[in-house]
Amino acid sequence: MAVAETQLYAKVSNKRRSKSASALLESLLTKGFPAHIAQKALAATGQKTIEDAAKWLHSHCNDPSLEDPIPQEYALYLCPTGRLHNHLQEFWKESKHQCGKNRAHEIFPHITLCDFFTCEDQKVELLYDTLKQVGDRFSHRFPTSISLLLHSSTSYLGFFIGDSHATILKEFAVAFSSEAAALADCHVKPCLKQLHLTLAHKFYPHHQKTLEQLAKCINPEEACQWVAALYSRDMRFVHYQTLRALFQYKPQNIDELMINAGDFIYVDPRQQSDVSEGWVIGTSHRTGCRGFLPKNYTERANESDTWVKHRQVEVLEYVFVTASRLFTQSENESNVKLNGEVHKPNTSRSVTNVLSLQNATLRRGVLVMRHGERVDQVFGKSWLQQCLTADGKYYRADLNFPSILPKRKDSMKDFESDPPLSCCGIFQSRLIGEALLDQEVTVSYVYSSPALRCVQTAQHILQGLKLDQKVKIRVEPGLFEWTKWEISGVIPNFMTLTELAEASYTIDTSYRGNFPLASLVPSESYEEYVSRSSAVIKQIITACPSKGKGVILIVGHGSSLASSTRPLIGLPARDSSDFAQAVRKIPSLGMCFCEEIKEENKWQMVNPPVKTLTHGANAAFNWRNGIVED
């Protein structure tokens, strides 16, 4: 342990211990974990659930620092949510794309109320009590809106908080600092200088004008909930670089580090001079173990990626509602519904989950989604040859092949350029539909690319939504992907509307596409594809009544997510090379969501109503290999 770390712990270890014992701690103690280890696990995971803490303990069973009495560092941030947060995230994304990464990208949008401070693991609950008490005291004083004033210099861009509002926030921070000292015995330094929300920091001066133009697209008066929340980090690695593992690495030698894809690794740049070229030595955030690992298995991560946002059912996330109301109930209604539970609409309340904006406001939305797993994605381009008997009949060579293929008038070889979903792809699609149903998403219209895999995805999503007998699929040829990516150099021979309907797909046979199938040009230029996509999405929006409050579901390809949404929200097309790189990273059923702000006659991108499905690979297995045969 470093000398400074030992001294710091000695400074707090002899102070009075908290007498509070949470149900979480008691549950871990009954499992046989020592109290100090259990408290360390709870602090490291944000005191969320027993499962999180137990998983952390299991992962850190070989952590050589598990017994080290080193506390976490905590900070109190005021973070925006809702529309303002969405606009800030879009600025983060676009500023990084146009000007490269700057210091602000390391951390999420926030206003710092209190700098990082230490708190003994057994006293963390008292910080939660502190935040609750101070929040209750200030609930009636918190402003109905926070004044954000744009400020720009050659190395800094951000919003300064107006003086009158900043005064209240500073008093809130001072009160938290005082209560934290009294209740949790923590030395907390409140931020008393100019309060601000940083947009960009330490960038190249010649990027200032571009960043200013992007910042002016942010409306600081957007509806917003400000959440006062505690974040913690491992103080030992504050000045380290954080890497993210791209691939799994299994150690070949005893001094190497086991990593899984997605793991975060702390690396001290000062310790790398004697390491072999192509290798780094680091400490795993997941396991606490240290060792060598190949550098090309990693990428740089953000400083805040390993931070923990603390949550507890009764306290901690303290929400202040500002600007316009997020909910659509009338002023006379006394209750609002959050995740199925009735809550009184106080100006300040403690919550564990804030409804996503698109569910709360009932605005018209567009959900653009990539199709599910296609069969050739798993079994390769020659998949059909694996499934045909000598007389040309289809059979199921693997359980992930579809049980049957729909009938089509021409040769079965057309399936090679227009492949169906795999069985897993069908399951994925239905699961997404069920998740949308759980979130009470109302789908009013469905548009699909003419590709069979897209039509099937739309069909099974509707089945999951229990709408397959109510909403019909409009097959829109203009939604097909960039034709330059067709290896054959020709447009696939798609199934006709009649064939799809006869195969029991819920097709709107009366619908005539905005972009006729005959108009698709083989090997079209990127500009032609962008123009086609932009025209089609605008025609779809026009065709669906603006008075409707439901969602327009568009099932297309990986390329559809950008090509159908960027023109809708007013962003230019990406460079063709950047576009191809971005599309490669979009998984099966990857999605994005836009909602209409009718009063402003524009659309904005917000969080999708459900999260993307994540799953692992399952390779082919022959029981003879390794079981019977050597």
Side-chain angles (χ1 to χ4, degrees):
M1 188 191 309
V3 173
E5 294 168 354
T6 306
Q7 292 174 343
L8 177 59
Y9 185 74
K11 187 176 174 182
V12 298
S13 61
N14 293 324
K15 296 183 179 180
R16 65 177 179 83
R17 296 174 58 86
S18 167
K19 295 181 180 180
S20 68
S22 68
L24 294 175
L25 177 59
E26 291 174 356
S27 297
L28 289 176
L29 294 179
T30 60
K31 295 179 183 292
F33 294 110
H36 67 292
I37 298 297
Q39 288 164 342
K40 188 169 188 174
L42 289 170
T45 57
Q47 301 230 9
K48 294 183 179 72
T49 65
I50 292 296
E51 290 74 17
D52 286 341
K55 183 179 178 181
W56 187 92
L57 288 165
H58 176 73
S59 298
H60 285 258
C61 61
N62 295 318
D63 183 351
S65 67
L66 192 59
E67 294 284 347
D68 288 352
I70 304 174
Q72 296 276 308
E73 279 190 324
Y74 299 83
L76 180 61
Y77 287 165
L78 192 65
C79 302
T81 66
R83 293 185 207 165
L84 179 59
H85 175 264
N86 294 331
H87 286 313
L88 290 169
Q89 289 292 73
E90 185 60 35
F91 172 86
W92 246 247
K93 178 180 176 183
E94 199 59 32
S95 62
K96 186 176 180 180
H97 171 68
Q98 295 193 28
C99 303
K101 189 172 182 179
N102 63 66
R103 191 71 179 87
H105 290 117
E106 291 286 335
I107 308 175
F108 42 82
H110 70 281
I111 298 171
T112 302
L113 297 180
C114 296
D115 291 330
F116 275 101
F117 60 92
T118 58
C119 179
E120 291 181 88
D121 295 338
Q122 66 269 29
K123 296 180 181 178
V124 176
E125 282 190 25
L126 297 176
L127 288 181
Y128 304 167
D129 296 337
T130 297
L131 185 55
K132 178 66 167 62
Q133 291 179 19
V134 176
D136 288 341
R137 194 189 313 163
F138 275 79
S139 61
H140 67 286
R141 297 186 57 197
F142 203 80
T144 56
S145 63
I146 292 181
S147 174
L148 301 177
L149 310 173
L150 188 62
H151 173 80
S152 177
S153 70
T154 55
S155 62
Y156 175 85
L157 179 72
F159 290 115
F160 282 178
I161 313 304
D163 290 343
S164 60
H165 297 159
T167 298
I168 298 174
L169 296 181
K170 289 176 183 177
E171 290 177 3
F172 177 82
V174 169
F176 176 82
S177 172
S178 177
E179 290 290 335
L183 285 179
D185 212 12
C186 297
H187 177 66
V188 182
K189 182 181 179 182
C191 292
L192 300 178
K193 296 181 180 179
Q194 174 68 62
L195 294 185
H196 56 275
L197 191 158
T198 300
L199 297 176
H201 182 43
K202 292 187 178 179
F203 50 83
Y204 290 111
H206 65 272
H207 285 150
Q208 182 181 358
K209 187 175 181 180
T210 301
L211 291 169
E212 285 179 0
Q213 291 174 341
L214 291 173
K216 289 176 181 177
C217 296
I218 303 171
N219 179 7
E221 297 180 358
E222 282 282 17
C224 178
Q225 281 187 325
W226 290 91
V227 180
L230 286 165
Y231 288 82
S232 69
R233 67 185 182 185
D234 192 322
M235 60 180 292
R236 296 173 298 167
F237 305 111
V238 170
H239 300 297
Y240 284 45
Q241 289 181 353
T242 304
L243 305 180
R244 180 189 291 104
L246 297 172
F247 315 102
Q248 183 185 61
Y249 180 74
K250 295 182 179 180
Q252 307 297 313
N253 298 291
I254 194 171
D255 59 353
E256 294 175 2
L257 184 64
M258 170 71 186
I259 57 173
N260 293 327
D263 281 359
F264 292 105
I265 314 297
Y266 299 113
V267 172
D268 186 349
R270 299 167 298 181
Q271 298 177 354
Q272 307 305 314
S273 57
D274 297 330
V275 178
S276 300
E277 186 176 355
W279 292 77
V280 294
I281 186 168
T283 302
S284 169
H285 170 72
R286 179 175 60 85
T287 66
C289 297
R290 191 167 185 265
F292 293 94
L293 66 150
K295 188 175 183 180
N296 62 356
Y297 275 52
T298 67
E299 65 179 0
R300 282 292 300 271
N302 294 329
E303 175 185 334
S304 62
D305 285 345
T306 58
W307 294 4
V308 175
K309 183 178 182 180
H310 283 247
R311 285 185 177 178
Q312 188 166 302
V313 174
E314 298 176 354
V315 293
L316 191 51
E317 261 195 357
Y318 214 85
V319 179
F320 301 93
V321 180
T322 69
S324 62
R325 294 167 66 94
L326 283 180
F327 300 96
T328 57
Q329 285 87 344
S330 68
E331 292 297 325
N332 295 326
E333 290 182 298
S334 60
N335 297 329
V336 294
K337 215 171 189 182
L338 291 178
N339 294 343
E341 297 182 7
V342 176
H343 297 256
K344 292 184 179 180
N346 298 326
T347 55
S348 170
R349 65 183 179 277
S350 174
V351 298
T352 54
N353 285 304
V354 178
L355 280 179
S356 58
L357 185 61
Q358 62 271 20
N359 288 340
T361 56
L362 298 177
R363 297 182 184 276
R364 186 167 66 141
V366 174
L367 180 60
V368 184
M369 192 178 303
R370 189 190 179 194
H371 56 76
E373 180 184 87
R374 48 194 276 182
V375 70
D376 60 335
Q377 182 180 333
V378 183
F379 299 102
K381 294 296 181 183
S382 61
W383 68 273
L384 190 58
Q385 299 174 21
Q386 304 172 43
C387 299
L388 295 180
T389 61
D391 56 355
K393 293 182 179 180
Y394 174 81
Y395 75 99
R396 197 177 188 184
D398 184 282
L399 287 179
N400 201 20
F401 282 112
S403 56
I404 59 172
L405 292 178
K407 293 181 180 179
R408 53 198 313 164
K409 63 180 181 180
D410 296 320
S411 169
M412 286 187 67
K413 286 186 65 66
D414 287 336
F415 283 116
E416 291 182 345
S417 58
D418 185 28
L421 293 179
S422 66
C423 276
C424 285
I426 292 172
F427 170 76
Q428 291 171 333
S429 304
R430 190 175 295 117
L431 193 63
I432 290 293
E434 292 171 354
L436 292 171
L437 179 63
D438 289 341
Q439 293 298 313
E440 300 181 355
V441 175
T442 302
V443 172
S444 301
Y445 304 92
V446 178
Y447 288 82
S448 171
S449 160
L452 176 58
R453 56 193 180 273
C454 298
V455 174
Q456 290 179 318
T457 298
Q459 177 72 23
H460 292 292
I461 289 175
L462 285 175
Q463 288 179 356
L465 278 164
K466 298 182 180 179
L467 291 175
D468 51 314
Q469 301 301 316
K470 298 179 181 179
V471 179
K472 292 188 175 181
I473 302 168
R474 297 177 176 180
V475 177
E476 175 53 64
L479 291 173
F480 187 59
E481 64 184 343
W482 187 8
T483 61
K484 180 182 177 181
W485 288 344
E486 286 298 307
I487 297 176
S488 62
V490 297
I491 304 300
N493 189 15
F494 301 116
M495 293 179 67
T496 65
L497 298 184
T498 302
E499 287 175 324
L500 291 169
E502 290 175 349
S504 299
Y505 299 117
T506 312
I507 303 297
D508 184 350
T509 54
S510 65
Y511 175 75
R512 296 295 176 263
N514 295 296
F515 200 92
L517 189 59
S519 300
L520 286 177
V521 179
S523 301
E524 66 189 333
S525 68
Y526 180 60
E527 290 71 23
E528 289 173 327
Y529 169 67
V530 168
S531 177
R532 162 163 66 90
S533 301
S534 178
V536 167
I537 187 63
K538 291 175 182 177
Q539 288 165 348
I540 288 175
I541 297 301
T542 302
C544 300
S546 59
K547 64 181 180 181
K549 300 294 185 182
V551 169
I552 304 168
L553 172 62
I554 295 177
V555 181
H557 307 265
S559 56
S560 303
L561 271 68
S563 63
S564 295
T565 59
R566 289 179 71 88
L568 194 59
I569 60 178
L571 292 179
R574 292 192 181 281
D575 180 83
S576 59
S577 59
D578 294 336
F579 176 76
Q581 290 294 329
V583 170
R584 291 190 183 99
K585 297 177 182 178
I586 297 172
S588 299
L589 276 303
M591 68 186 84
C592 54
F593 188 79
C594 298
E595 70 167 12
E596 183 182 34
I597 309 176
K598 191 170 179 59
E599 57 272 22
E600 299 178 22
N601 193 30
K602 68 178 183 179
W603 292 76
Q604 67 175 2
M605 191 169 288
V606 297
N607 290 329
V610 298
K611 293 185 176 180
T612 302
L613 175 67
T614 304
H615 57 77
N618 199 46
F621 172 68
N622 186 326
W623 59 271
R624 294 183 183 276
N625 297 338
I627 305 299
V628 177
E629 299 175 353
D630 293 331

